[in-house]
Amino acid sequence: MKKLFCNIFGHHYSVSKKVTSHIKEYKCIHCSKEVTTDVSGNLSILTPELQDINRTLERIYQNRHPEHQVA
């Protein structure tokens, strides 16, 4: 039923993780579909490869910007 809602009305994404100040991961509050911002700023499906890239980016960002620890 929730996927039907998204098929009709579209997804309602909320931020699930802030990777850096510009890159975030999002999750649909209805169907739990996960997406992330790509290099162009567009939303892309969150694949295991993109999750790994985001983890690496988060670690690098936190090392270079200790005053901007993201949650």
Side-chain angles (χ1 to χ4, degrees), residues 2 7 9-11 14 27-28 37 40 43 52 66 68-70:
K2 292 182 179 185
N7 286 337
F9 298 107
H11 297 284
S14 65
K27 190 173 190 175
C28 178
T37 47
S40 303
L43 294 180
D52 188 41
H68 292 114
Q69 295 292 324
V70 287

Side-chain angles (χ1 to χ4, degrees), residues 4-7 9-10 20 27 30-31 38 40 48-49 51-52 56 63-64 66 71:
L4 178 63
F5 181 88
C6 291
N7 286 337
F9 298 107
T20 69
K27 190 173 190 175
H30 300 292
C31 70
D38 62 15
S40 303
E49 180 182 10
Q51 282 180 322
D52 188 41
T56 303
N63 287 340
R64 292 186 181 197

